[in-house]
Amino acid sequence: MRSFSKSISRPAYLVFFFLLLLSSFSTVPALAQASQTARAPYTLTGKVTTIAGAPLAGATVMVRGDQRDNTAITNKEGMFLLTTRQPQPVLIVNCAGYEENQADVPQAGEAVVSLAPIDKYKKQLRKQGKKAYKDWNGKGKRN
């Protein structure tokens, strides 16, 4: 029985080696181009305030178009820190009791986003709480 290496001639080995070498060179520029188009992540910093200028703690900040797990919560000074790969990021900011706001990030410096309070929010919240209690316990009967 003849071995596999003896059944293939030398010119066939050379052609195979040449094709393998050629294919490896053609993938290198494609890989280099892909790495150049991928943007390096950079850090966004900013502050969320009320319209009056008071810092807003506990606001949720995320970059529109990024993954859902890329969010930040503001600290007690209203400051946040996020990373993104987007060239011109737009922030989506929301907080309980305040209207959601979208803001473009400036090229230099930190982003400052102000949120307006929802009109009669506490009254609406109480009303929804009472309705939920009634629905849960059956027509508002307390035990």
Side-chain angles (χ1 to χ4, degrees), residues 13-122:
Y13 275 127
L14 291 174
V15 169
F16 175 72
F17 178 73
F18 179 72
L19 290 175
L20 183 64
L21 187 64
L22 185 63
S23 67
S24 67
F25 284 126
S26 65
T27 58
V28 171
L31 291 174
Q33 184 179 9
S35 67
Q36 289 174 354
T37 58
R39 290 180 166 51
Y42 62 96
T43 304
L44 302 174
T45 59
K47 185 174 186 176
V48 178
T49 64
T50 63
I51 288 182
L56 196 56
T60 304
V61 182
M62 64 184 209
V63 178
R64 182 172 60 189
D66 272 3
Q67 299 171 352
R68 280 285 185 188
D69 61 346
N70 189 15
T71 60
I73 306 295
T74 57
N75 63 10
K76 66 182 179 180
E77 289 92 24
M79 302 296 289
F80 65 89
L81 181 81
L82 276 172
T83 57
T84 187
R85 292 181 185 267
Q86 300 229 358
Q88 296 173 333
V90 175
L91 298 176
I92 300 173
V93 182
N94 56 38
C95 187
Y98 294 88
E99 299 282 341
E100 183 177 279
N101 194 1
Q102 293 186 15
D104 294 327
V105 176
Q107 294 293 338
E110 64 182 31
V112 179
V113 183
S114 296
L115 299 181
I118 295 174
D119 196 31
K120 300 179 184 176
Y121 178 74
K122 288 183 181 180

